[in-house]
Amino acid sequence: MKRLGRWISVGLSWMVAMGCSNQPASSTIHESLVRGVVTLNGRPLSHGTVTFLPQQTTSERIDPGIARIEPDGSFWIGNANLSKPAGVKPGKYRVTVLVMDRRPEGEPAPPAHLAIPEKYTDESTTPFEFDVVKGQNRFRLDMSSHDP
């Protein structure tokens, strides 16, 4: 009976380590970790999101990577709840940034307003296109509010 209990413990530990998903582990944690910094007019942004949109040429489904911009302007592609790095598959990505104006604390919410030029928010107009390689990737997303 002790042996059976030990095998059950090993099995449960393995399931927790691998994740309790119907998807293979390789579909949730990739070999390409992506980190970076987002600036506007040379200053780090303190909030918003960065989205890596795959520019695939194969029939394989490749999920986008989504990152929250941290108060210091940094970002990293995380898992579904952004609690740990998860990465993306290697390949070519167009990158969009979305940052809305923040309202002062305690103030009623005004209508949503972009805090960055609109071209950075759209896949067809963003100037950011990167090749993500296997391993560690670091990118700078330097934006300007003075661009045409």
Side-chain angles (χ1 to χ4, degrees), residues 47 52 59 67 72 74 80 103 107 111-112 117 119 125 143:
H47 66 282
F52 277 67
S59 60
D72 65 355
S74 66
R103 69 175 206 260
E107 295 286 321
K119 76 176 188 177
T125 57
M143 300 182 293

Tab-separated table of all heavy atoms in Angstrom, residues 47 52 59 67 72 74 80 103 107 111-112 117 119 125 143:
chain	number	residue	atom	x	y	z
A	47	HIS	N	2.034	51.827	-18.150
A	47	HIS	CA	0.907	50.906	-18.204
A	47	HIS	C	0.533	50.648	-19.657
A	47	HIS	O	1.012	51.332	-20.564
A	47	HIS	CB	-0.299	51.466	-17.431
A	47	HIS	CG	-0.869	52.714	-18.060
A	47	HIS	ND1	-0.278	53.942	-17.915
A	47	HIS	CD2	-1.955	52.890	-18.841
A	47	HIS	CE1	-0.989	54.845	-18.573
A	47	HIS	NE2	-2.011	54.228	-19.155
A	52	PHE	N	2.162	40.570	-29.511
A	52	PHE	CA	2.963	40.016	-30.597
A	52	PHE	C	2.039	39.183	-31.473
A	52	PHE	O	1.520	38.152	-31.032
A	52	PHE	CB	4.112	39.159	-30.045
A	52	PHE	CG	5.318	39.952	-29.651
A	52	PHE	CD1	5.276	40.841	-28.586
A	52	PHE	CD2	6.510	39.821	-30.354
A	52	PHE	CE1	6.389	41.578	-28.226
A	52	PHE	CE2	7.640	40.565	-30.000
A	52	PHE	CZ	7.570	41.440	-28.936
A	59	SER	N	0.218	26.413	-42.144
A	59	SER	CA	-1.125	26.118	-41.663
A	59	SER	C	-1.155	25.888	-40.158
A	59	SER	O	-2.219	25.790	-39.564
A	59	SER	CB	-1.673	24.886	-42.378
A	59	SER	OG	-0.845	23.774	-42.123
A	67	ALA	N	1.479	40.914	-23.441
A	67	ALA	CA	2.246	41.322	-22.274
A	67	ALA	C	1.645	42.580	-21.671
A	67	ALA	O	1.148	43.448	-22.386
A	67	ALA	CB	3.695	41.587	-22.667
A	72	ASP	N	7.753	50.358	-14.841
A	72	ASP	CA	9.072	50.828	-15.297
A	72	ASP	C	9.218	50.777	-16.817
A	72	ASP	O	10.296	51.019	-17.349
A	72	ASP	CB	10.186	50.031	-14.636
A	72	ASP	CG	10.183	48.551	-15.035
A	72	ASP	OD1	9.254	48.107	-15.756
A	72	ASP	OD2	11.108	47.840	-14.616
A	74	SER	N	8.870	48.095	-18.671
A	74	SER	CA	9.250	46.761	-19.136
A	74	SER	C	8.016	45.910	-19.437
A	74	SER	O	6.906	46.202	-18.967
A	74	SER	CB	10.124	46.055	-18.099
A	74	SER	OG	9.377	45.797	-16.922
A	80	ALA	N	-1.478	32.812	-19.405
A	80	ALA	CA	-2.813	33.400	-19.536
A	80	ALA	C	-3.110	34.473	-18.491
A	80	ALA	O	-3.756	35.466	-18.792
A	80	ALA	CB	-3.866	32.304	-19.478
A	103	ARG	N	-7.217	57.835	-15.687
A	103	ARG	CA	-7.959	58.877	-14.982
A	103	ARG	C	-7.379	59.029	-13.581
A	103	ARG	O	-6.874	58.051	-13.013
A	103	ARG	CB	-9.436	58.535	-14.931
A	103	ARG	CG	-9.747	57.362	-14.044
A	103	ARG	CD	-11.257	57.152	-13.951
A	103	ARG	NE	-11.592	56.497	-12.730
A	103	ARG	CZ	-11.848	55.208	-12.611
A	103	ARG	NH1	-11.813	54.432	-13.643
A	103	ARG	NH2	-12.156	54.689	-11.452
A	107	GLU	N	-11.692	59.902	-9.640
A	107	GLU	CA	-12.432	60.655	-10.649
A	107	GLU	C	-13.325	59.709	-11.449
A	107	GLU	O	-12.985	58.548	-11.644
A	107	GLU	CB	-11.459	61.344	-11.615
A	107	GLU	CG	-10.599	62.398	-10.975
A	107	GLU	CD	-11.368	63.668	-10.665
A	107	GLU	OE1	-12.211	64.082	-11.466
A	107	GLU	OE2	-11.115	64.231	-9.582
A	111	PRO	N	-14.496	59.324	-21.265
A	111	PRO	CA	-14.468	58.445	-22.438
A	111	PRO	C	-13.036	57.990	-22.710
A	111	PRO	O	-12.083	58.733	-22.471
A	111	PRO	CB	-14.971	59.340	-23.575
A	111	PRO	CG	-15.691	60.464	-22.904
A	111	PRO	CD	-15.058	60.628	-21.548
A	112	ALA	N	-12.898	56.755	-23.173
A	112	ALA	CA	-11.562	56.198	-23.443
A	112	ALA	C	-10.832	57.055	-24.470
A	112	ALA	O	-11.415	57.501	-25.458
A	112	ALA	CB	-11.688	54.776	-23.934
A	117	PRO	N	0.069	57.533	-30.303
A	117	PRO	CA	-0.456	57.646	-31.669
A	117	PRO	C	-1.120	56.334	-32.130
A	117	PRO	O	-0.640	55.236	-31.821
A	117	PRO	CB	0.786	57.960	-32.506
A	117	PRO	CG	1.711	58.640	-31.547
A	117	PRO	CD	1.485	57.921	-30.239
A	119	LYS	N	-1.268	54.743	-34.864
A	119	LYS	CA	-0.566	53.814	-35.758
A	119	LYS	C	0.072	52.652	-35.013
A	119	LYS	O	0.252	51.576	-35.564
A	119	LYS	CB	0.474	54.539	-36.601
A	119	LYS	CG	1.746	54.920	-35.861
A	119	LYS	CD	2.736	55.543	-36.817
A	119	LYS	CE	4.080	55.752	-36.180
A	119	LYS	NZ	5.037	56.279	-37.141
A	125	THR	N	-0.581	49.059	-39.435
A	125	THR	CA	0.164	50.325	-39.479
A	125	THR	C	1.339	50.393	-38.492
A	125	THR	O	2.133	51.330	-38.565
A	125	THR	CB	-0.776	51.517	-39.197
A	125	THR	OG1	-1.411	51.334	-37.921
A	125	THR	CG2	-1.823	51.651	-40.288
A	143	MET	N	8.537	54.662	-29.292
A	143	MET	CA	7.480	55.366	-30.028
A	143	MET	C	7.690	56.875	-29.903
A	143	MET	O	8.325	57.345	-28.964
A	143	MET	CB	6.106	54.982	-29.469
A	143	MET	CG	5.816	53.493	-29.566
A	143	MET	SD	4.169	53.059	-28.946
A	143	MET	CE	4.354	53.406	-27.205
